[in-house]
Amino acid sequence: EIPTTWDETKVLDAKPGEYIVIARKKEGNWYIGAITNSKARTLSLSFQLLGDEKFETTLFADAEDAAVNPNHLKKETMLLDKNSTLTLKLAGGGGAVLQLIKK
């Protein structure tokens, strides 16, 4: 379900060698990926790039026990718009993926 070509790419947040959050758009839908180095960290995302649309969002992220079980993920669904914020807790060496489908 993830496209291999993109209409638009934006770096939402990054610190070289430490972490990066990238958003990619295809046909009105957004796909966001976040990864971190070996240091666990918490990142706060805003969604101003969404414009006036609402998006059904699926999040796959590190589970609370990811430090001892790195293959354990959590899945959440939510509705996001440009006024939304989301806090991501990334395990060391971990990350998160969001799929935002326009409603």
Side-chain angles (χ1 to χ4, degrees):
E1 295 182 22
I2 306 298
T4 57
T5 60
W6 306 101
D7 302 327
E8 188 175 350
T9 299
K10 294 183 178 200
V11 175
L12 301 181
D13 194 6
K15 188 168 183 183
E18 295 190 23
Y19 66 91
I20 188 165
V21 182
I22 294 179
R24 290 183 157 178
K25 185 178 184 181
K26 180 67 171 189
E27 298 174 356
N29 299 318
W30 285 95
Y31 303 82
I32 299 174
I35 57 172
T36 185
N37 62 6
S38 59
K39 180 182 175 189
R41 69 184 73 246
T42 301
L43 300 175
S44 181
L45 300 181
S46 66
F47 296 92
Q48 293 296 313
L49 73 144
L50 299 181
D52 292 328
E53 305 291 334
K54 292 185 187 283
F55 290 80
E56 181 70 36
T57 303
T58 303
L59 165 69
F60 293 92
D62 297 319
E64 294 296 324
D65 66 346
V68 293
N69 185 359
N71 294 320
H72 191 195
L73 300 175
K74 66 179 178 180
K75 178 183 176 183
E76 296 180 34
T77 58
M78 62 200 80
L79 192 62
L80 296 177
D81 63 23
K82 68 180 179 183
N83 298 312
S84 301
T85 59
L86 181 65
T87 301
L88 296 176
K89 294 181 181 179
L90 306 180
V97 175
L98 294 95
Q99 181 183 39
L100 296 88
I101 305 300
K102 188 169 25 172
K103 294 287 290 174

